[in-house]
């Protein structure tokens, strides 16, 4: 089931990306046309989510995905594209990955 996203995120479309122990992830598009990722933290991972959000805020996109916003068990994240870190490592090396 898809959660209700905060209205200020202006989510207009979503596509499932993954479901796992940590939660569910969608690629989404906002009303202005920006591609983003939304993660809903699972109940199992919920206790650690506050620490993950704090770490992502602290990193501000340096060496990690950029956290754009968080609301309850939802995280709004930048979309890093389709290339996996493994593929980037092979193509461009460790520093780029």
């Amino acid at each position: 089931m898809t959660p209700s996203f905060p209205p200020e995120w202006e989510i207009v479309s979503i596509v499932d990306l993954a479901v796992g122990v940590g939660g569910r992830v969608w690629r989404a598009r906002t009303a202005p046309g920006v591609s983003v990722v939304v993660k809903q933290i699972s109940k199992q991972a919920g206790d650690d989510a506050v620490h993950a959000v704090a770490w992502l805020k602290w990193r501000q996109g340096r060496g990690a995905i950029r956290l754009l916003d968080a609301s309850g068990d939802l995280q709004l994240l930048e979309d890093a594209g389709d290339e996996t870190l493994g593929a980037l490592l092979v193509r461009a090396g460790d520093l780029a990955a």
Side-chain angles (χ1 to χ4, degrees), residues 66-90:
R66 185 175 308 279
L67 177 71
L68 304 173
D69 198 10
S71 177
D73 64 349
L74 297 170
Q75 297 173 358
L76 183 66
L77 306 160
E78 73 177 325
D79 187 345
D82 293 326
E83 187 174 25
T84 66
L85 283 177
L88 180 60
L89 177 66
V90 169

Side-chain angles (χ1 to χ4, degrees), residues 12-94:
V12 294
S13 66
I14 60 169
V15 176
D16 282 318
L17 283 181
V19 177
V21 174
R24 188 168 178 187
V25 181
W26 298 270
R27 177 165 281 135
R29 187 150 307 275
T30 65
V34 177
S35 182
V36 294
V37 171
V38 178
K39 181 174 184 179
Q40 183 176 36
I41 304 300
S42 69
K43 292 188 188 319
Q44 185 175 358
D47 291 342
D48 293 327
V50 68
H51 304 294
V53 167
W55 189 83
L56 289 171
K57 284 180 181 177
W58 172 67
R59 293 304 301 161
Q60 297 179 346
R62 293 182 313 271
I65 203 75
R66 185 175 308 279
L67 177 71
L68 304 173
D69 198 10
S71 177
D73 64 349
L74 297 170
Q75 297 173 358
L76 183 66
L77 306 160
E78 73 177 325
D79 187 345
D82 293 326
E83 187 174 25
T84 66
L85 283 177
L88 180 60
L89 177 66
V90 169
R91 181 178 60 78
D94 190 52

